[in-house]
C-alpha cells in the first residue's frame, strides 16, 4: 500500500525562523498486513504546535521530547479512524488519537499507544493578550474574556495597569520574552505563573525555560511568585476525564472552540510556518481526510 508522508527536509538552525521548505512530501509503502496488537488507521486531522519548533533542532533542550530526524517522518498530535484492527480493545470504525501520530495519510500503529475519544474555575476577571485586533475582538465578543490587549498596539504595561488595577494573580504563560516580563512585573504577592510555552524564544538558542532577566527574577522572588512548568505529558491519566469534561462544557455552551483549518498533507509545512508567525486564530490543525466528519 502506497501512502504519502511528510519528513523533515532541513533544520532552520537554533536561531533561524522555520519555513515550509524545512519539510517535504514523499511516498512510502506500508505493509499489506498488520500484526497482532496493531491497527491500520486513516489520518483525519493533524496538529501543529509551537513546541514542535524545538523538535526541529538536533537537540530539543529538554528531556521529555525528542528531536525529529532528517529525512524521517515527522510526528505530533493526530486523530484518525481505524480501518483494520488486530487489537482486542479497538475495532474498525473507532476514532482514536495519539500524541505521536506520524504525518502520513495512513499509518500502522501499536493499539496500546492510542486513546479512544469518547469563567469555569472561578476567575473573577480574565484578560487575554494577542497580536491582532481581530483576535482581541474574538476574545471579548465570543470567548467570554473581560478584556484583551493587542501587544502590537500601544503600551502593554499601561493597558495592563488600566485593565487589571488590582494586579495579576494567575498568568498562563505561552509566550515568554518582553510580554511575560511586563506581566510578571504587575503580578501580586503569592501569585502564580503557569509556564506552558515560550513561543517568542523558540527561534533562539536559549535554554528552556529561558531564564528571567535579573530585575524580573528579583520581583518573582520578592513577591513569592511561583513559576512552574506545565507539561501535558505528565497528565496522561487525566486525558480521558479531561476530554469528557471539556466536551460537556462545550455542549452546555460554557466553552467555545476556535480552529484554523488548512486542508491537505502537502500543506503541513505552510501550516507550521503560519502558526509560528501568529497566522492562526485558535488551534491550528490540518485536515488530511475529509471522507469522515467528526
Amino acid at each position: 500500500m502506497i501512502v504519502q508522508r511528510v519528513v523533515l527536509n532541513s533544520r532552520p538552525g537554533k536561531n533561524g525562523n522555520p519555513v515550509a521548505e524545512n519539510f517535504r512530501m514523499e511516498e512510502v509503502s506500508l505493509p499489506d498486513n498488520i500484526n497482532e496488537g496493531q491497527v491500520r488507521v486513516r489520518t483525519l486531522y493533524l496538529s501543529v504546535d509551537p513546541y514542535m519548533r524545538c523538535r526541529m533542532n538536533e537537540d530539543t533542550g529538554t528531556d521529555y521530547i525528542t528531536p525529529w530526524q532528517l529525512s524521517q517522518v515527522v510526528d505530533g498530535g493526530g486523530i484518525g479512524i481505524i480501518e483494520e484492527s488486530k487489537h482486542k480493545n479497538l475495532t474498525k470504525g473507532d476514532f482514536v488519537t495519539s500524541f505521536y501520530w506520524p504525518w502520513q495519510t495512513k499509518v500502522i500503529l501499536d493499539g496500546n499507544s492510542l486513546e479512544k475519544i469518547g469563567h469555569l474555575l472561578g476567575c473573577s476577571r480574565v484578560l487575554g493578550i494577542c497580536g491582532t485586533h481581530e483576535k482581541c475582538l474574538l476574545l471579548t465578543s465570543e470567548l467570554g474574556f473581560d478584556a484583551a490587549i493587542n501587544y502590537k498596539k500601544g503600551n502593554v504595561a499601561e493597558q495592563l495597569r488600566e485593565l487589571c488595577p488590582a494586579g495579576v494573580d494567575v498568568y498562563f504563560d505561552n509566550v515568554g520574552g518582553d510580554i511575560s516580563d511586563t506581566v510578571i512585573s504587575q503580578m501580586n504577592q503569592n501569585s502564580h505563573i503557569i509556564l506552558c510555552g515560550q513561543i517568542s524564544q523558540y527561534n533562539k538558542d536559549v535554554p528552556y525555560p529561558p531564564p528571567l532577566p535579573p530585575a524580573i527574577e528579583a520581583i518573582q522572588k520578592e513577591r513569592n511568585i511561583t513559576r512552574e512548568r506545565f507539561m501535558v505529558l505528565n497528565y496522561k491519566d487525566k486525558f480521558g476525564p479531561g476530554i469528557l469534561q471539556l466536551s460537556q462544557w462545550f455542549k452546555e455552551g460554557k466553552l467555545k472552540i476556535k480552529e484554523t483549518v488548512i486542508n491537505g498533507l502537502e500543506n503541513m509545512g505552510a501550516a507550521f510556518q503560519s502558526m509560528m508567525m501568529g497566522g492562526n486564530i485558535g488551534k491550528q490543525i490540518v485536515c488530511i481526510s475529509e471522507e469522515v466528519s467528526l
Side-chain angles (χ1 to χ4, degrees):
M1 177 186 299
I2 302 299
V3 301
Q4 293 180 313
R5 70 177 186 177
V6 173
V7 301
L8 185 64
N9 188 50
S10 59
R11 302 188 191 276
K14 285 191 174 183
N15 295 304
N17 294 319
V19 295
E21 291 73 23
N22 292 135
F23 304 92
R24 76 169 187 270
M25 283 268 294
E26 64 179 29
E27 292 187 340
V28 66
S29 178
L30 283 187
D32 292 328
N33 299 313
I34 61 175
N35 298 322
E36 289 298 322
Q38 291 184 327
V39 294
R40 187 177 73 248
V41 190
R42 175 160 50 88
T43 305
L44 298 178
Y45 296 93
L46 293 172
S47 174
V48 292
D49 302 281
Y51 82 91
M52 293 176 170
R53 174 62 182 86
C54 303
R55 301 192 69 187
M56 299 181 79
N57 299 330
E58 292 186 60
D59 180 3
T60 64
T62 69
D63 56 3
Y64 59 93
I65 54 173
T66 57
W68 290 327
Q69 300 301 314
L70 289 173
S71 299
Q72 297 298 310
V73 67
V74 177
D75 67 323
I79 295 173
I81 184 170
I82 294 178
E83 293 187 328
E84 181 183 359
S85 175
K86 289 189 177 180
H87 189 278
K88 61 181 180 180
N89 296 327
L90 299 170
T91 61
K92 181 178 179 180
D94 282 346
F95 293 104
V96 289
T97 183
S98 172
F99 194 75
Y100 302 101
W101 198 288
W103 287 9
Q104 293 183 188
T105 51
K106 294 187 179 184
V107 293
I108 294 176
L109 297 171
D110 178 356
N112 294 325
S113 68
L114 301 172
E115 294 284 342
K116 290 180 69 171
I117 296 176
H119 289 300
L120 298 173
L121 299 178
C123 292
S124 60
R125 185 168 178 78
V126 180
L127 170 72
I129 302 177
C130 48
T132 68
H133 173 71
E134 181 183 12
K135 291 180 180 180
C136 287
L137 185 61
L138 178 69
L139 293 182
T140 56
S141 66
E142 294 189 38
L143 301 185
F145 281 62
D146 296 291
I149 293 174
N150 182 348
Y151 68 85
K152 295 181 180 178
K153 301 287 185 181
N155 187 297
V156 174
E158 291 179 1
Q159 294 179 74
L160 188 59
R161 278 192 292 270
E162 178 182 345
L163 294 169
C164 296
V168 176
D169 293 311
V170 179
Y171 175 39
F172 192 89
D173 187 3
N174 248 332
V175 62
D178 293 339
I179 298 298
S180 291
D181 296 345
T182 299
V183 175
I184 294 170
S185 69
Q186 297 189 36
M187 295 186 73
N188 294 324
Q189 191 76 22
N190 301 319
S191 53
H192 306 283
I193 302 167
I194 303 167
L195 185 56
C196 180
Q198 300 279 275
I199 191 172
S200 70
Q201 307 300 299
Y202 288 165
N203 294 330
K204 303 175 183 178
D205 185 10
V206 295
Y208 188 86
L212 297 172
I216 302 300
E217 186 177 20
I219 290 174
Q220 180 198 357
K221 292 180 179 179
E222 290 168 4
R223 300 179 190 172
N224 192 35
I225 302 171
T226 63
R227 185 175 184 245
E228 298 180 355
R229 295 171 65 179
F230 172 80
M231 292 181 286
V232 68
L233 294 179
N234 289 347
Y235 300 92
K236 289 182 179 180
D237 61 322
K238 300 184 185 297
F239 284 5
I243 289 174
L244 291 176
Q245 178 66 83
L246 293 170
S247 299
Q248 184 63 35
W249 282 339
F250 176 69
K251 291 176 183 177
E252 294 172 354
K254 296 178 180 179
L255 183 69
K256 299 291 182 67
I257 295 174
K258 289 296 176 183
E259 298 167 338
T260 296
V261 182
I262 294 180
N263 292 317
L265 186 70
E266 69 276 9
N267 292 315
M268 292 296 298
F272 184 83
Q273 180 179 354
S274 175
M275 177 273 302
M276 287 296 296
M277 298 176 66
N280 56 303
I281 295 179
K283 185 73 181 71
Q284 177 69 68
I285 61 176
V286 180
C287 178
I288 308 303
S289 173
E290 296 182 293
E291 296 178 28
V292 175
S293 173
L294 295 180

